[in-house]
Amino acid sequence: MKTGILFLLSCLITPTLFSQIVDTALINKGNKFAFSIHEESQDTALIICQDLLQKSKQGKYLRGQGDAYVTMGAIYRNSKDIMQSYACLTKALACRRLLGDSSRVAAVYVNIALTNLKETKYDAAIANVLYAIGLLEADPKGDKMLLGNAYILASNIYDEYLEPTEAYKYAKSSLDTYIKMDETECIAQAAYALANRCLAMNQLDSAMSYYNLAFNNFIISSNDPDYLANIYINKALIYKAKGNLNEASKLFQQAEETLKQIGENADYYPLYLNVGELFIKQDKLIEGLAYLNKAQQLNNELSHLDQQYLYEHLAYAYNRLNKSDSAFYYLEKVYKIRDTIYNENKRKEFVKFQTERYKKETLMADAKVQTQESRMRLLLITAILLSMVIGVIVYASRQRKRAFQLITAQKENLHKQAVDELIQSSELKYLNAGLEGQEIEKDNIAREIHDRLGSAMVTLTWQYDAVLENLPQDSPNFQSMLKLNAALKNLYQDIRHIAHQLGSGVLERVGLVPVLQELCQDINSTNKMEVDFSAYGMEQRLGFYQEVNLLRIVQELISNVLKYAKASQLLVQIDRMDDTINMMIEDDGVGFDPKQINGHGVGLKNVEGRVRALNGTIQFEQRPTKGTTVIINIPIEETKQNEQLT
């Protein structure tokens, strides 16, 4: 390897070689060599590319320039210099477009998508890779190998993007492409990816079929022990899901023997984790716990799902062994990771939502600009025609009359505005005082419920747990005690939920967004309605007065939906845009008549009162039989001022 590098460098740096003619074959060979070593020797590859780029520019050799820029873009991406990567890939795109080679242009878009993924910009990544796929599919002579690779990349992005159907579709397209090319190793990799997609969607028979296809092709092509070990493990998981634990155990043993062939670089984590879980399922708790501890000691860079899976089984095993402290320790880790996973998934879903909303808003803004321009032209033409028709005397007379009317109207408006401001100021002071008193009273009640009644319920459930642990399962009272224990735990959760609904102490400690998340999770856990919560730009806390009012508004609106809307789905979204808080609560229920708000409905009047107290606006969008959307806008600066005044 070192000899090859030195030879290429000596050839490329020699000035006389390019003094008259550019050797395009040598440039192409140099670019391929630089790309082949760029992951292992980035600095050397970068030196080669820069020299090749200079020579290609001297000879006006576009292909050499494009290839050098692409390789440099990959090098900067791997070194996490994202801006340089984008700069090089943009220049590569310009060179290859001039060549008119759609396959090479598509390759640049694939590289741009890979750079997008380094920043977790999934919307941009999927847009670029789909554009590359479109170019390759439209060209009958396009690079089929690149097309298969692009399909696999699209599948991986959609899998990360929480779109399992699209992920499966592109993995299947990749496999079909490689089968037509009769590329054995590529078939194996695509079949393995497709099997993973099927396993994620719980299509066990299809997953087993594709794992077998991948296994056979790996044996024929490369006999890659890393892939083979993973196939053994995943097939064992399928047998375990079907209840065939003996066959699963055999496959885990084959996976372990295969990993031994790799040596010290082998990744034993999936094996240890799943073997430990298998032993626990067979009530071999000590053996299972030993394997789980082995998995934990590997200190791999695990995904949050893998961490959750490991800690859940550790907590379960320690609980079965009556080691409560260890069980609670890992159970706390499970809850923290679940919150992290929930926030990550919502962030990904919010990225998709924001992207679609941005597109719609852009179209609406363009249409609005065009409409305004048309109106301005029409007004200008009208003004010119009027100026030609109206005489000077008539115009002057009307102007004097209009001036008199305007002065009169302004006086009346000023008087009315002063009266309205005085009334509104009095109403706000009265409303703020009432709301503040209500919050103090609710907080006191919530503290009594949580501290006294909640503590008593926790102690009672612990006592029942102790009784159940010492009570034989064949005892005639075991099932009754078990049901009573479950009822007590549900009652404790209800007490905790009521305390959180009433109290503002938790809100003051953790902030608005975590409290709203917990509120939505509690509703989801009742299976009465599916609630989807998202927040954007809410990293900075608001004032406590503002957060309390926003929480009560959301609670009241959700309560109305649960009572009257007959809805199955609810969206709760809160965004901070510059100096404005925007909230949207949308359900798919039966809808209602907004005119009824003025007639009756204390809850909705309270909502409107809190919105007015925050100097905000509220809008109800009613869709008969399709649900209701409530949109609330709160100005942050004005709200802070009101908080200080009160």
Side-chain angles (χ1 to χ4, degrees), residues 513-549:
V513 172
V515 172
L516 290 178
Q517 286 177 337
E518 184 174 0
L519 171 64
C520 295
Q521 289 173 356
D522 289 345
I523 297 173
N524 278 327
S525 65
T526 64
N527 294 324
K528 293 181 181 179
M529 181 171 61
E530 181 180 351
V531 184
D532 187 4
F533 174 77
S534 65
Y536 174 76
M538 299 294 296
E539 294 81 9
Q540 184 178 357
R541 289 284 301 272
L542 305 174
F544 178 69
Y545 171 82
Q546 184 177 16
E547 289 189 339
V548 168
N549 280 282

Side-chain angles (χ1 to χ4, degrees), residues 424 427-429 431-432 435 545 549 606-616 634 638-639 642-643 646:
Q424 186 178 11
E427 287 179 348
L428 286 177
K429 289 180 180 178
L431 180 60
N432 289 340
L435 292 177
Y545 171 82
N549 280 282
N606 286 339
V607 169
E608 288 186 320
R610 290 182 184 274
V611 172
R612 287 198 307 270
L614 297 174
N615 292 330
I634 305 296
E638 293 182 8
T639 304
N642 284 338
E643 182 180 358
T646 57

Side-chain angles (χ1 to χ4, degrees), residues 377-403:
R377 287 194 295 269
L378 181 60
L379 289 173
L380 182 61
I381 294 172
T382 303
I384 294 173
L385 292 175
L386 286 175
S387 63
M388 295 174 62
V389 175
I390 298 175
V392 176
I393 299 176
V394 175
Y395 176 80
S397 175
R398 289 183 177 179
Q399 282 294 98
R400 285 194 295 270
K401 184 177 180 180
R402 286 177 183 174

Side-chain angles (χ1 to χ4, degrees), residues 597-608:
I597 298 176
N598 297 326
H600 49 78
V602 176
L604 291 177
K605 286 185 177 180
N606 286 339
V607 169
E608 288 186 320

Side-chain angles (χ1 to χ4, degrees), residues 124-405:
I126 198 62
N128 285 310
V129 76
L130 291 180
Y131 187 83
I133 289 172
L135 290 176
L136 294 168
E137 288 178 340
D139 186 2
K141 298 181 180 180
D143 188 341
K144 300 303 179 185
M145 179 64 72
L146 179 60
L147 178 59
N149 295 340
Y151 283 141
I152 283 287
L153 179 58
S155 176
N156 293 336
I157 297 173
Y158 274 119
D159 183 61
E160 189 70 20
Y161 212 33
L162 306 178
E163 292 284 351
T165 304
E166 293 295 316
Y168 172 88
K169 181 181 76 173
Y170 283 101
K172 184 68 168 59
S173 298
S174 176
L175 179 60
D176 294 339
T177 302
Y178 291 140
I179 289 175
K180 291 177 183 179
M181 297 173 62
D182 197 23
E183 289 286 339
T184 307
E185 186 168 359
C186 292
I187 291 172
Q189 294 175 355
Y192 178 79
L194 189 55
N196 290 339
R197 303 293 179 262
C198 293
L199 185 60
M201 293 189 294
N202 204 31
Q203 298 175 2
L204 302 183
D205 292 334
S206 297
M208 180 65 77
S209 175
Y210 287 119
Y211 280 131
N212 289 333
L213 177 62
F215 182 89
N216 294 333
N217 280 275
F218 276 125
I219 292 295
I220 295 172
S221 59
S222 62
N223 195 20
D224 191 325
D226 195 14
Y227 272 107
L228 296 178
N230 287 329
I231 291 173
Y232 282 132
I233 292 171
N234 291 336
K235 289 175 66 175
L237 294 176
I238 295 174
Y239 278 114
K240 185 182 68 175
K242 291 184 175 183
N244 192 341
L245 302 185
N246 291 331
E247 190 64 28
S249 181
K250 292 178 184 178
L251 287 166
F252 282 136
Q253 291 176 2
Q254 289 177 298
E256 187 170 8
E257 294 173 2
T258 306
L259 288 170
K260 289 179 181 177
Q261 299 175 16
I262 301 175
E264 60 184 19
N265 293 325
D267 182 11
Y268 281 88
Y269 175 80
L271 177 67
Y272 289 156
L273 176 63
N274 289 291
V275 171
E277 195 262 342
L278 179 63
F279 276 126
I280 291 173
K281 197 168 187 177
Q282 295 173 328
D283 287 331
K284 299 177 181 179
L285 299 177
I286 301 299
E287 294 89 337
L289 193 57
Y291 272 95
L292 293 178
N293 285 326
K294 283 184 179 181
Q296 188 179 20
Q297 291 169 5
L298 291 176
N299 292 324
N300 290 19
E301 294 183 359
L302 305 178
S303 67
H304 288 123
L305 285 174
D306 286 336
Q307 293 179 35
Q308 177 185 342
Y309 195 74
L310 173 61
Y311 294 145
E312 281 175 347
H313 286 86
L314 283 168
Y316 177 79
Y318 280 118
N319 184 55
R320 290 284 303 278
L321 293 170
N322 294 324
K323 295 183 178 181
S324 301
D325 291 341
S326 297
F328 283 131
Y329 172 78
Y330 287 107
L331 200 58
E332 284 184 352
K333 286 180 171 291
V334 171
Y335 289 143
K336 289 180 181 179
I337 293 172
R338 282 180 180 174
D339 290 340
T340 302
I341 293 173
Y342 178 83
N343 292 333
E344 287 181 351
N345 290 340
K346 289 305 172 186
R347 179 182 60 80
K348 293 174 184 177
E349 293 175 0
F350 186 74
V351 167
K352 293 190 291 184
F353 172 77
Q354 287 293 92
T355 302
E356 295 300 323
R357 189 171 72 174
Y358 174 78
K359 292 178 181 177
K360 292 179 181 179
E361 289 177 351
T362 302
L363 293 174
M364 292 175 63
D366 292 340
K368 185 177 180 179
V369 169
Q370 293 179 358
T371 303
Q372 290 177 346
E373 291 177 351
S374 299
R375 288 178 178 176
M376 289 299 295
R377 287 194 295 269
L378 181 60
L379 289 173
L380 182 61
I381 294 172
T382 303
I384 294 173
L385 292 175
L386 286 175
S387 63
M388 295 174 62
V389 175
I390 298 175
V392 176
I393 299 176
V394 175
Y395 176 80
S397 175
R398 289 183 177 179
Q399 282 294 98
R400 285 194 295 270
K401 184 177 180 180
R402 286 177 183 174
F404 176 79
Q405 292 175 347

